[in-house]
Amino acid sequence: MEKRIFIAIGASIAFLWLWAAISPLLFPQVARQRQEQEAARRRAAATATETATATDSAPAPPPLAAPVEAPVVAAPVTPVEASEVSYAEVRTANYIARFSNRGAQLVSFALLHYREKDGTPVDLVRQRAATRTDFPFAVETRDAALTARLNSVLYTVTEFDSRQGTRTVEFRYTGQDGISVTKTFRLGDSYLFEYQCSITPPVPYRIIVGPGIRTVAADQADSQMIITGNGVVRVDGETDVIGRESGDRLQIFERAEFIGIEDNYFLTALRPQRASSSILRRIQLGTGKDIRRDLYAGVTAAPDGVVNGGAFFGPKETKVLDAHGFDSVLQFGWFGIIARFLLKALVLINTTTGNYGWAIVVLTIIIKIILYPLQHKSIVSMKKMQKVAPKMEAIKAKYKKARTDPEQRQKMNVEMMNLYKQEGINPMSGCVPILLQMPILWGFYGLLSQAIELRGAYFMGWIKDLSDKDPYYITPILMTATMFIQTYITPMTGDPMQRRIFLAMPLVFGWIFKEFPSGLVLYWLVQNILTIIQQMIMNKWWKDHPAELQKA
């Protein structure tokens, strides 16, 4: 027992000795602090010894009154605030940006190359009530009173030219409580400009853009084609669109590359450089039938009270988005690859036609030529099926119990396939052109509902905007009529049910297409006309050369 006690004591002493030897190597900072403290203690001891020696040789001083501590007086705060409302306006070749010193916010961003239906420039800042102060670059803090103050006080404004071709606007405010805010904006011709906001002493806050994006006209607000006010965020290389009507009230993103609000044709987004996180916040305005949900996008400041980065306020034009790294925002739906190809083709053709409507006509003709071999085989197959229709009906009559007897149905199918093989008919060939047309159709749909290049594109007469529906429904009516003609002259079998279905399709398509962009209806109309011409030529050829059908 005693032996173990001595071993434990020895081990403890060895451990303490070893720790004392290696701790300065492991924790050099702690060792330096201890050395400094020891040096300070020695200096204090030396000073005390000198003072004691001097006191012994000198007469004792009279007793002193207790020392009185002087109060710490804070340095006076000099408020910085403007006395009246003013505006700073930056004019460039592409836009006019207007800032108000009330809250140091962006109150207008008018795009000079894009117009509303009334001819005024598109303004990406939504109109607000006179009492609201939540324009882009407003500040949100945890303190509602501080938030209201920082967004309503009048900042001082300084404007100057900075780098070549850019204009800098700086706003400053300092309150009686020492809270100081500086907002700086640096703008040039590009739709992407720089922003920075700092608050001292640092408080948790974020800057926001929204709610929503631009003010749409009443007819556009009710349109199914205009989707406005959705959130868009890119995190870890993935871009997500978040509907303003769905999702959580507050969504936080820690590593957002950019975050903003979009509609079909325009985008307002923040690309943070110095920040903590990004958010999308949904609010609800109005009541009853007038209720509306809107999204704000925001970027939270870093712990030192600074947030900065780039802000994009501009069109979702392909070359513009590609140039600034927002290309993933342009999403054309399931057939996006086809839509992008069609857009590039239309832009190229438009350099010759000078009219996007005629560019659609030319592109439709090109597509028709490319698909002609398949469509020709389809028409030939349907004509042959029409010719052998009596034989097909005879086979069906032979197996009257095919609907209820699986064995009879299998025998009928085998005999029908032998007939197809004997006559050189491919029953699926009639579906191939339709299946190939659907991706092109939906590609056009995504293109015309998202591509700003075709927004407001004039065609002729009453069609003043190919991205909008035909106001008088003339093209949908013509499209329906051509579908009836096409159905009437297309070879069919004697199946009455099939004929009824085909005759009902034009009415269904016409009803659906009446609200679609007129450019999409134009494409389908031209496609129908070309198919009718093709069908009439082939019908005439087979009438004059009946033997050629068997060779086809």
Side-chain angles (χ1 to χ4, degrees):
M1 180 73 178
E2 294 177 352
K3 184 178 180 181
R4 281 187 296 213
I5 293 175
F6 284 122
I7 291 174
I9 294 173
S12 300
I13 294 173
F15 174 80
L16 292 175
W17 177 84
L18 182 62
W19 175 257
I22 66 172
S23 61
L25 299 176
L26 296 176
F27 305 99
Q29 187 175 1
V30 175
R32 282 198 302 271
Q33 290 178 350
R34 289 180 178 174
Q35 290 174 359
E36 291 173 357
Q37 291 173 357
E38 182 63 20
R41 186 186 62 77
R42 290 175 181 175
R43 287 195 299 269
T47 304
T49 303
E50 293 173 359
T51 304
T53 304
T55 302
D56 290 343
S57 59
L64 297 176
V68 178
E69 234 176 273
V72 178
V73 180
V77 175
T78 303
V80 177
E81 187 175 353
S83 58
E84 60 182 4
V85 177
S86 64
Y87 297 92
E89 195 170 88
V90 178
R91 292 177 174 265
T92 72
N94 293 319
Y95 60 83
I96 300 175
R98 197 164 188 250
F99 296 88
S100 171
N101 73 329
R102 183 178 296 283
Q105 299 172 7
L106 179 67
V107 295
S108 175
F109 200 94
L111 305 179
L112 300 180
H113 303 304
Y114 301 91
R115 302 278 168 175
E116 299 287 5
K117 288 187 175 181
D118 60 2
T120 58
V122 171
D123 194 337
L124 295 186
V125 178
R126 179 177 293 178
Q127 297 175 7
R128 305 284 200 279
T131 56
R132 292 182 64 177
T133 57
D134 56 352
F135 289 91
F137 300 101
V139 169
E140 286 186 347
T141 71
R142 295 175 181 173
D143 185 340
L146 178 61
T147 297
R149 171 157 64 99
L150 297 183
N151 290 331
S152 59
V153 295
L154 304 180
Y155 290 62
T156 62
V157 186
T158 305
E159 297 182 62
F160 55 91
D161 292 327
S162 47
R163 296 195 298 266
Q164 185 177 10
T166 61
R167 183 79 173 164
T168 297
V169 183
E170 187 176 83
F171 297 91
R172 289 183 177 274
Y173 163 76
T174 302
Q176 296 281 359
D177 56 355
I179 294 289
S180 181
V181 183
T182 302
K183 293 183 185 180
T184 306
F185 304 93
R186 187 172 292 109
L187 304 96
D189 286 339
S190 171
Y191 295 109
L192 183 68
F193 58 91
E194 299 174 25
Y195 70 90
Q196 177 167 304
C197 180
S198 63
I199 297 181
T200 54
V203 297
Y205 77 95
R206 58 178 172 243
I207 60 167
I208 58 172
V209 294
I213 178 174
R214 72 186 181 108
T215 304
V216 297
D219 60 332
Q220 292 179 320
D222 296 332
S223 172
Q224 297 178 354
M225 302 301 300
I226 302 297
I227 302 173
T228 180
N230 284 344
V232 59
V233 60
R234 185 171 180 82
V235 179
D236 296 334
E238 295 291 332
T239 301
D240 289 327
V241 176
I242 300 169
R244 62 181 175 85
E245 297 288 346
S246 60
D248 298 329
R249 190 184 69 83
L250 179 65
Q251 298 184 58
I252 301 175
F253 308 92
E254 295 298 335
R255 299 177 304 279
E257 297 173 37
F258 62 78
I259 192 165
I261 311 294
E262 68 165 5
D263 66 8
N264 296 52
Y265 304 111
F266 302 98
L267 170 70
T268 59
L270 299 176
R271 177 184 287 163
Q273 292 180 356
R274 186 177 184 82
S276 292
S277 60
S278 303
I279 64 104
L280 279 175
R281 179 167 58 84
R282 179 166 53 84
I283 62 167
Q284 187 168 294
L285 301 172
T287 56
K289 294 182 179 180
D290 297 328
I291 195 169
R292 177 181 175 84
R293 293 178 178 86
D294 274 317
L295 286 177
Y296 286 89
V299 177
T300 305
D304 62 356
V306 176
V307 58
N308 62 23
F312 181 88
F313 279 61
K316 290 166 65 175
E317 188 176 350
T318 307
K319 62 181 181 181
V320 173
L321 295 177
D322 289 347
H324 295 105
F326 292 97
D327 52 295
S328 61
V329 170
L330 197 59
Q331 300 182 3
F332 290 122
W334 290 351
F335 300 101
I337 295 177
I338 295 175
R340 282 181 177 268
F341 173 78
L342 294 174
L343 177 58
K344 290 182 179 180
L346 283 176
V347 171
L348 179 62
I349 297 170
N350 185 61
T351 58
T352 302
T353 61
N355 182 299
Y356 273 109
W358 290 113
I360 290 175
V361 172
V362 172
L363 182 58
T364 306
I365 295 172
I366 295 173
I367 293 172
K368 187 68 176 178
I369 293 172
I370 295 173
L371 296 180
Y372 173 79
L374 290 172
Q375 291 177 336
H376 177 76
K377 288 183 178 180
S378 171
I379 294 174
V380 169
S381 180
M382 293 180 73
K383 188 70 175 178
K384 288 182 177 181
M385 288 185 72
Q386 185 185 38
K387 185 180 177 181
V388 300
K391 296 180 180 180
M392 294 169 61
E393 291 300 321
I395 294 174
K396 290 179 181 179
K398 181 180 177 181
Y399 298 95
K400 292 181 179 180
K401 297 182 179 180
R403 291 185 177 180
T404 56
D405 188 342
E407 185 178 351
Q408 290 284 307
R409 184 165 60 250
Q410 184 178 2
K411 289 181 179 179
M412 184 188 73
N413 291 336
V414 170
E415 195 165 338
M416 199 75 77
M417 292 304 296
N418 290 333
L419 175 63
Y420 291 152
K421 186 176 181 180
Q422 180 183 347
E423 298 292 337
I425 299 172
N426 182 0
M428 296 301 297
S429 62
C431 303
V432 173
I434 297 176
L435 293 175
L436 288 176
Q437 283 287 348
M438 295 312 294
I440 297 173
L441 180 67
W442 285 111
F444 259 112
Y445 174 82
L447 165 69
L448 289 161
S449 62
Q450 296 285 336
I452 196 171
E453 288 86 347
L454 276 78
R455 178 184 179 271
Y458 174 80
F459 176 37
M460 60 183 294
W462 70 100
I463 302 179
K464 302 184 184 301
D465 186 353
L466 288 166
S467 68
D468 200 1
K469 69 178 183 180
D470 186 331
Y472 304 111
Y473 302 110
I474 295 174
T475 49
I477 292 172
L478 292 175
M479 187 200 78
T480 304
T482 55
M483 286 190 72
F484 269 117
I485 296 172
Q486 181 182 342
T487 303
Y488 180 76
I489 67 174
T490 298
M492 288 190 185
T493 64
D495 189 346
M497 178 61 71
Q498 184 188 57
R499 179 164 288 275
R500 283 196 294 269
I501 293 173
F502 273 86
L503 287 174
M505 283 183 62
L507 294 175
V508 175
F509 268 70
W511 178 259
I512 295 173
F513 272 59
K514 70 182 179 65
E515 299 297 327
F516 280 5
S518 54
L520 181 65
V521 181
L522 176 63
Y523 162 74
W524 201 246
L525 172 60
V526 175
Q527 185 71 231
N528 289 346
I529 293 172
L530 294 174
T531 303
I532 290 171
I533 295 172
Q534 179 184 2
Q535 186 70 60
M536 290 177 68
I537 292 173
M538 294 183 71
N539 286 349
K540 180 71 168 56
W541 172 259
W542 287 326
K543 184 178 180 181
D544 297 338
H545 306 82
E548 295 297 325
L549 179 61
Q550 195 63 31
K551 298 178 183 179

